[in-house]
Amino acid sequence: MPRPTGKVWVSLKIIMLGPPGSGKGTQAAMLKEQLGVPAISTGAILRSEIAAGTDIGLKADGYISRGELVPDDVIIDIVERRFLQPDCQKGFILDGFPRTTAQAEALDAKGVKIDAVVVLNLDDEVIVKRMSGRRICKKCDASFHVEKNPPKAEGICDFCGGALYTRVDDAPETVRNRLDTYHKNTEPLLDYYKNLLRNVESYGNIDDVLKSILAALGV
Ligand code: AMP
């Protein structure tokens, strides 16, 4: 791992891996504050493209609502453009990318050197139950849970005051599709990144999981 200079890391490139609903987005947002590097969520970028009615959004919408993966070329293009923004110079936390071997190979081909891959482990049945309580901010995509991580005011985002909603793809049937997709397409990345893995159990409350991640990263 690169050494921090004071509280600022020279460069830190982390991938958050794990099934949908294992807490990647919530933990990436908390880690971003701790580590001072941006959290990049391909899912959040796609949702904002859909809301804005762009060509990318129109392409992605059907795949997302069916719980399928958006084609690699669309995703790789989004990530490449996001990397060009200046805040990525000190590193980044990738939340939801890569999700296929082709996406991981595209990162390698770009010469991006990943420091650690945090794997959040959570059982499928716990995930299906958890997802029905998840609420997302329409404006900033922050994630809450009605029981495990409730907002201070019901239906309102703590961070930006945006309205909270339930994602269409969090419906139990779609979550099961997303889990199947994860096992088939994304789980092979555990082997791809076998030398960089930091396994963390994601059953506890969000602060305890964050502590475990920081310990696993050695920070
Ligand atoms: P997430 O917010 O990470 O749960 O992503 C929501 C949905 O966006 C996924 O179920 C996919 O349909 C799509 N998506 C997000 N990231 C990717 C990716 N790296 N590759 C393909 N599809 C993605």
Side-chain angles (χ1 to χ4, degrees):
M1 296 283 284
R3 302 306 308 162
T5 317
K7 280 197 87 178
V8 182
W9 290 77
V10 177
S11 168
L12 187 58
K13 300 188 176 86
I14 296 177
I15 290 171
M16 304 293 290
L17 206 63
S22 57
K24 296 187 299 293
T26 302
Q27 294 299 331
M30 291 163 89
L31 272 179
K32 161 183 138 179
E33 301 303 324
Q34 297 276 330
L35 304 175
V37 293
I40 299 175
S41 158
T42 42
I45 295 172
L46 291 168
R47 281 185 287 281
S48 73
E49 298 279 351
I50 291 170
T54 64
D55 285 349
I56 290 177
L58 288 173
K59 256 191 217 166
D61 200 5
Y63 294 100
I64 294 182
S65 38
R66 290 190 298 272
E68 295 168 9
L69 292 182
V70 173
D72 286 331
D73 57 335
V74 176
I75 297 289
I76 290 165
D77 188 51
I78 285 176
V79 173
E80 279 182 359
R81 278 189 286 126
R82 182 63 183 84
F83 279 171
L84 295 176
Q85 292 179 23
D87 63 336
C88 290
Q89 266 169 18
K90 279 191 287 173
F92 40 74
I93 302 156
L94 292 175
D95 158 22
F97 178 90
R99 263 177 156 104
T100 63
T101 304
Q103 293 176 15
E105 285 169 353
L107 267 185
D108 287 346
K110 276 261 146 204
V112 176
K113 215 185 148 313
I114 299 298
D115 297 300
V117 176
V118 174
V119 186
L120 294 180
N121 293 304
L122 195 61
D123 200 65
D124 283 9
E125 287 315 308
V126 179
I127 288 173
V128 177
K129 232 173 125 205
R130 243 196 212 184
M131 297 292 247
S132 62
R134 179 155 82 164
R135 301 291 179 269
I136 304 292
C137 175
K138 258 202 172 100
K139 253 164 95 184
C140 74
D141 212 72
S143 179
F144 298 87
H145 188 278
V146 288
E147 280 159 23
K148 280 182 69 73
N149 178 27
K152 292 194 183 91
E154 202 184 318
I156 296 170
C157 176
D158 289 358
F159 305 107
C160 74
L164 303 185
Y165 74 107
T166 306
R167 276 171 48 177
V168 279
D169 57 338
D170 280 352
E173 337 56 90
T174 315
V175 170
R176 290 195 194 278
N177 270 350
R178 292 165 66 197
L179 285 167
D180 288 347
T181 303
Y182 174 78
H183 293 306
K184 189 165 147 247
N185 298 98
T186 309
E187 232 163 37
L189 293 180
L190 295 175
D191 189 50
Y192 190 93
Y193 289 120
K194 60 177 179 286
N195 298 326
L196 296 175
L197 298 186
R198 308 280 201 278
N199 272 289
V200 172
E201 298 302 311
S202 198
Y203 290 89
N205 71 47
I206 57 173
D207 294 316
D208 289 341
V209 175
L210 177 65
K211 275 189 207 142
S212 304
I213 294 174
L214 292 171
L217 290 171
V219 294

